[in-house]
Structures are given as structure tokens and as C-alpha cells.
Amino acid sequence: MDTFTFFFFVALLIFPSLALPQRPVIVRPNDPKKILCQLPILKQFLCPISGSTGTNRPTVLGTARGTVDSSGAYRFPVKYASAPRWGPSSLVTAWDLPNGSANVSALPLACPQPGVDPSAYSEDCLSMVIYVPPGLASNSAAPTLVWIHGGSFIIGSATGPGLDGSKLAIATNSIVAVVQYRLGTLGFMAPSGQTNLAVKDLVNSLQFLKNVVPAFGGSASKITLAGQSSGANMIRAILAVPSASSLFRSAILQSDPMNFGFLSTTTHNTLLSNYIGQLGCSASNSACLNALSLSTILSTEMTLFNNAYDLDPAAGRNQPIRPVMDGSFITTPLDSTAAFPSVNKPILVTSVSHEAGFAIYGSFTDPLPEEAFPPICDATFGSERTSTVVNSPNYTPIPSVDGSIDARSQLQVVGTDYLWKCSGWTFARTWVQNGGTAYVGQFVVGATYPGNEAVSYCTQPGVVCHQDDIQIVFGTAASPTSAQSALTTEIQKRYKAFLANNNPNVAGVATWTPATPTDVHPILLGGSGEATVGACVPSFWGSSVQYDYQIYNQ
């Protein structure tokens, strides 16, 4: 039950180019405002956009060129930063299409990752795709949603299945930016010892958006981060970066596996030392490091990924390459292992009803007898935690319709609780205790994410596996059922309200009660009422049974 790696596919879609010429600005010497308009630092604040068309937008970095997609939104692919191999990224100084392309319809290549044809990725991958709803006036001060993709920190891209932001932008009347960042060891294991390069990439992406969204009708002060799985984990890392706080005002964390926590510097250095040894280059030999092929880097990365738990159990088996609590950039673990900081940003924290379904039923393809439950738990939790879990009334055997017992059903509930659901609720309660606002939800309707159909359990009626919330949020489910369409409409209404007002409540849908330090009020998204609490009480997970970060990072 300890392995889940979800592979995203890069979609390279071709759309028609509709770039139009820019109309020049005429400045009269006796018009002080127009003279000031020529200063880039003032232009976005004082001046109307001149020569702007839907697919041709003057920005402080030059003309943004885009295209119209099939949903009617305007789409602008753009490179936001550059970076040398294993070096910090720096913001671009001019508007450029990704990968040196001259085709405004071409989407960015992914960042290097295993399991993908090399022609589909490039190290020059710090790009994003910006979606703008039609009719958004230059003075609209619209909000922006920045989506950070998941993929266990080693795979994924801005062009993954279901991540077309067009319908979401139109439904929420907001700008949607889907962002890429360096993955795997290229983003987290710099031989020099520099940490969190990928997190710093995302901070640069936020600075880029703060600079350019006014040109598209957006407000630089209304930026919300949103992401799923390791993308949500990246958001939690950014929440722990004081220097990034002014770049966004709220966050949406979907299916964040909060149980793991950030890596400690000790664990990170153990993994890094092993990785450098495998590469065969000294940490100071830049010529050797730069000469390494991407195939060598990626194959060595996967060896590290698979062996990390044996090198240091604190790394875990699921996403051992992840953000580091380095104490200088990321200054707090945002968990119970250190004093929690004072916070004030509103957040949404959601999970899905069967988060662990793909991992459990994908790993164990045949039913398991009840006696298999304790030893499988022991392999994950160790004897002390296993004893408490096995004896808990929350994880008693669940008979099937014919009365037989399949331990996979218990394992699925345990996995969902400790990796996602209960650890997310613990985080929400702590967030509220320290001054923030949190809304907690659970998706009970989903749309099977591409790849999840490989596990038949995830296609059963009423089952919502990890990632099955993505296409609901984006409105990209193929041939949606009435229940899926209804939830997409609801969640997009709620996100529109949250982006605009920091509150997901809106007329026509049930009241979403904010969490308190003692009751998170977890609304059922796609159902009615609140989710069953079960073991997600303060006295069980995080107390009687500690999370991994409590075991390893004290």
C-alpha cells in the first residue's frame, strides 16, 4: 500500500493562430498622463491598453501573443523564468513563447521526467499557460487562479489531462494560469546543496503573474494558489515561505498527502549524498554535471526514488523527493513538530472519499483475507502504531454483500485517513487555531482520471479515487453524468466566490461552514451534509496514532 505513482500524459494540441498587429500609441507632449504612460513601471497602473485585441495584449514585458481555444477563452503560453541546470531560476525580462517557439498555438514542453518520450520534454521548461475569459475588460481587476499540477514531484506538466483552464476561466470569470516547475532531482537535489529550487521556481512564477496579469484585466492583489496532490504540497511549502506571502492572498489544497511533512535537512543530505555518488561527478565539478545526459539523470533519479526509504525511512516510499524545511527559505514545517506561526490567509482543504483506492487495489489485485490486515499495516506503521490501528473500532472488518471479508476495504480506509483525510483535517484545525480561516470538504462525486481506469475499483459507482476531483474542478470530464455536471457547476461557483471574496459560499448552494479548532465541518461535495468523522478526531490521528512527520521529524 506504500506505492502510488501517477503518470500524466503530455497533450500537444494545435490551435489556430489569430495574432493581430499592434496599434501604436501616440503621445502628445502637453498630456502628462500619456507621457507617464511610457514608463513601464507606471504603464500598467495609469494607462488603458492600447492596440489590445483578444489574442494580442501589450504587457510590461512586451506583446503577449495567444490564440482562441475551442471553448472561447484566450490562451497565452509563456516562458516565465530561465535556469541553468541545478541553479536558481531568474525571471524573464521579455515576453517569450515557451521553448523558443514562434507558434502561438504551441503548448510548452514538459519538464524532464521518467516515462515520457524525450521529445516531449526540455530542461527549458519554466513556462505556464494563461487562460483569459472573453470579454474581460482591462480594468476588471479580476482574480487569478494559479494551478500547480501534481505527480509525486517527479512527473506532470501544465498540459496534463484535464488541465485545460479555458472552461474554469470562463465559469469563474477569472484568469487561470497552469504552471510548470522543475521536477525530481533537477528541482530538489542540486549537487551544490541548494534546496527547494522547484519551490523557488513557483515563487518566480507568482512574481511574473503579479507583473503581467493587469494587462489581461487581472488584479495583482487577487491571486489564489490551487493544486492537487504534490501540487497542493507545493502550495503548503509556499505557505511556509515568508518572502512569498505578499504574492498571493489565498490557497486551495486538494488531496495534499500532509502525513509526510517536509524533508528534514538531515534526510535530504542523506539522499543527496547517495545521489551524487550514483551520478559519478563530484558536487563541485560543474563540467561533469552539465555533461550528464538527461537519461542518466532520470534513471539515477528513479534509483534514488526506489531506494530512498532504505537510505532513511523518514523519506518514505511515496514521494521521497520533496520540499525541504531548510530554515532559511522554508522557515516552518507547518505541523506539530515546531511552533505554528500566526497565519491569516483563507484556505480550502479538500480530499476525495477513496483517496487510497488506486494504490490499494492496484497493489493487491485479488481479495485479501482478514488476517492480512495487521502485517500489511505493520509494514507501513510499525508495531506500535499498528496495534492501535488494528484495535480501533474505526477499522473493523467490512463485510461485502455476500458476507465475505476483503481486507483491502479496511486498508483503503486506513490509507485514505492517514495520508490525506485526517492529516488534512489536523492541518485545518491548526490553521484556524493560529488565526487563519479554513473550509474543509470531501468530494463524493468524481470523474475517473485518465489512468485510474486501470484499477477496476476506481470505476465502480460511488468510488472517487485520488485525482478524480481534477476534471470536476476544471469542467473537462468527457461526457459527464448529471451528477458530475451538477458538481462541476457547484464547485466552479464556489471557487468563483472564493477567488473574489475569500469565501466559497454563494447563493443557490448549501452553506459551507468554516472550520473551527474542534470541528472542521467537512462538507460533502456532490452530496449533502457533512462527511463522517470516523477516526479523524484530534484524539486519534496525530495523538494516539502519530503521523509520519511526528515519528521522523521531531
Side-chain angles (χ1 to χ4, degrees), residues 38 55 75 92 169 184 238 258 302 341 360 396 427 434 446 448 472 508:
Q38 303 314 296
T55 57
R75 191 185 69 201
V92 298
I238 296 171
M258 296 189 185
M302 291 313 297
I360 297 301
T396 55
F427 177 77
N434 289 276
T448 302
I472 294 294

Side-chain angles (χ1 to χ4, degrees), residues 38-81:
Q38 303 314 296
L39 300 176
I41 195 170
L42 297 178
K43 184 175 181 180
Q44 63 174 308
F45 301 108
L46 294 180
C47 315
I49 294 178
S50 180
S52 174
T53 70
T55 57
N56 217 38
R57 307 289 180 100
T59 78
V60 293
L61 296 176
T63 300
R65 294 179 296 129
T67 188
V68 180
D69 67 20
S70 58
S71 297
Y74 300 111
R75 191 185 69 201
F76 298 87
V78 62
K79 176 179 178 177
Y80 68 84

Side-chain angles (χ1 to χ4, degrees), residues 21-33:
Q22 182 177 347
R23 180 161 51 95
V25 178
I26 300 174
V27 180
R28 294 184 175 84
N30 61 349
D31 189 337
K33 182 176 180 181

